[in-house]
């Protein structure tokens, strides 16, 4: 199997986000061109699809980054602490089901062995990366922490993520939001277009952060 290079990581992320942007551009155009009673329906469809691509890209991009790190053959001891935590997270979870000191001692053993163990995790394991089918800001923040990525820029947009995207998407998916509240069609369209831009920008930011981390090796412990 060929080595998972930075170029391969870049190509995978670029292709994935490009396909998503193409479909979302079509959906945005549908909203812009909709008229009268179709506007509400178009926006509700668009919000659901925008959320689907938001969650899908964050999940896949995070997993691809971990696949890349798996292939680097780095000793856990040389990595930042969040990656050591990821590498023993399964053990921590299993030990949490017991009250026995002997069971918790497994965590100590795993930590001691991390000096001599290569970083390997299962990116598809929900315990490692889990969007919880509800990628709100707190869930996103935990994923960013797990990957050693800065989250301050996302915090500035957490109301867009939580209220304008997640809450509305959930209300639509559960049949609670059957029409947009405002009678101002242009205002409804403008609000969606603003949300669309924010979420696309955050997806781009996530991709850039992953590539920066890979290129600059910011996953390594600072000696």
């Amino acid at each position: 199997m060929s080595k998972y290079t930075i170029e391969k990581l870049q190509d995978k992320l670029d292709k994935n986000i490009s396909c998503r942007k193409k479909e979302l551009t079509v959906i945005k155009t549908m909203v812009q061109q909709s008229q009268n009673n179709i506007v509400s329906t178009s926006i509700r469809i668009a919000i659901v699809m925008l959320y689907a691509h938001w969650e899908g890209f964050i999940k896949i991009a995070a997993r691809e980054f971990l696949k890349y790190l798996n292939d680097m053959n780095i000793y856990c001891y040389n990595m930042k602490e969040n990656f050591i935590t990821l590498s023993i997270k399964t053990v921590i979870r299993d030990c949490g089901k017991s009250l026995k000191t002997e069971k918790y001692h497994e965590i100590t053993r795993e930590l001691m062995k991390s000096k001599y163990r290569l970083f390997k995790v299962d990116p598809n394991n929900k315990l490692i990366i889990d969007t919880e089918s509800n990628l709100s800001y707190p869930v996103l923040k935990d994923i960013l922490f797990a990957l050693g990525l800065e989250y301050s820029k996302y915090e500035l947009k957490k109301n867009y993520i939580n209220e304008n995207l997640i809450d509305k998407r959930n209300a639509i998916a559960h049949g609670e939001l059957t029409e947009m509240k405002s009678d101002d069609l242009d205002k409804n369209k403008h609000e969606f277009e603003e949300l669309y831009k924010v979420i696309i920008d955050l997806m781009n930011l996530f991709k850039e952060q992953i590539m920066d981390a890979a290129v600059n090796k910011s996953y390594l412990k600072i000696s």
Side-chain angles (χ1 to χ4, degrees):
M1 182 181 290
S2 61
K3 188 174 180 62
Y4 200 140
T5 63
I6 286 180
E7 290 76 18
K8 184 175 180 180
L9 176 62
Q10 177 84 64
D11 185 59
K12 280 183 173 289
L13 298 188
D14 284 346
K15 285 181 178 178
N16 191 276
I17 200 170
S18 177
C19 290
R20 296 177 188 280
K21 285 179 179 178
K22 285 179 182 177
E23 181 166 80
L24 288 173
T25 298
V26 171
I27 291 169
K28 184 180 72 168
T29 301
M30 175 188 73
V31 170
Q32 292 172 332
Q33 295 178 348
S34 60
Q35 299 293 327
N36 302 322
N37 61 327
I38 303 299
V39 174
S40 178
T41 300
S42 297
I43 292 176
R44 286 187 291 116
I45 291 171
I47 289 174
V48 171
M49 291 304 297
L50 183 59
Y51 172 80
H53 283 300
W54 160 246
E55 178 185 332
F57 180 71
I58 297 298
K59 181 190 298 181
I60 288 176
R63 288 176 175 174
E64 290 299 329
F65 182 43
L66 291 176
K67 289 177 186 177
Y68 170 78
L69 293 179
N70 279 344
D71 206 46
M72 291 298 99
N73 292 323
I74 312 166
Y75 285 103
C76 290
Y77 182 76
N78 293 322
M79 302 183 79
K80 289 183 176 177
E81 291 178 354
N82 56 288
F83 293 105
I84 297 175
T85 301
L86 276 186
S87 73
I88 64 171
K89 199 172 179 183
T90 302
V91 175
I92 295 172
R93 179 199 59 188
D94 293 344
C95 291
K97 298 175 182 178
S98 172
L99 296 177
K100 302 294 184 182
T101 302
E102 185 178 3
K103 187 67 176 176
Y104 278 97
H105 185 60
E106 291 180 20
I107 299 175
T108 303
R109 284 204 303 265
E110 288 299 317
L111 285 172
M112 298 298 290
K113 289 190 295 185
S114 68
K115 182 174 181 179
Y116 309 102
R117 189 177 64 241
L118 296 175
F119 177 80
K120 302 289 180 185
V121 296
D122 179 3
N124 296 317
N125 185 340
K126 280 193 171 185
L127 188 63
I128 303 300
I129 295 295
D130 186 10
T131 56
E132 301 181 19
S133 298
N134 198 48
L135 189 54
S136 61
Y137 174 72
V139 177
L140 173 66
K141 184 178 178 181
D142 190 65
I143 292 174
L144 291 163
F145 176 83
L147 300 179
L149 303 177
E150 175 60 45
Y151 51 80
S152 59
K153 291 183 180 178
Y154 299 88
E155 189 170 18
L156 296 173
K157 301 296 183 182
K158 67 180 179 181
N159 287 338
Y160 273 96
I161 297 171
N162 289 342
E163 299 172 14
N164 296 21
L165 181 62
I166 307 302
D167 289 351
K168 285 184 179 178
R169 173 263 186 182
N170 289 343
I172 293 166
H174 297 150
E176 297 166 5
L177 183 58
T178 57
E179 60 181 357
M180 307 310 293
K181 291 183 179 179
S182 174
D183 293 329
D184 188 337
L185 301 185
D186 288 335
K187 180 182 178 182
N188 286 334
K189 288 182 180 181
H190 175 73
E191 287 177 350
F192 171 75
E193 288 171 13
E194 191 172 5
L195 175 62
Y196 166 91
K197 183 181 184 306
V198 168
I199 299 304
I200 291 292
D201 286 347
L202 292 180
M203 288 165 64
N204 284 329
L205 172 61
F206 191 70
K207 179 178 77 97
E208 291 165 6
Q209 284 182 294
I210 287 177
M211 289 312 306
D212 286 345
V215 171
N216 298 317
K217 299 182 179 181
S218 61
Y219 47 83
L220 295 178
K221 180 171 61 178
I222 299 174
S223 57

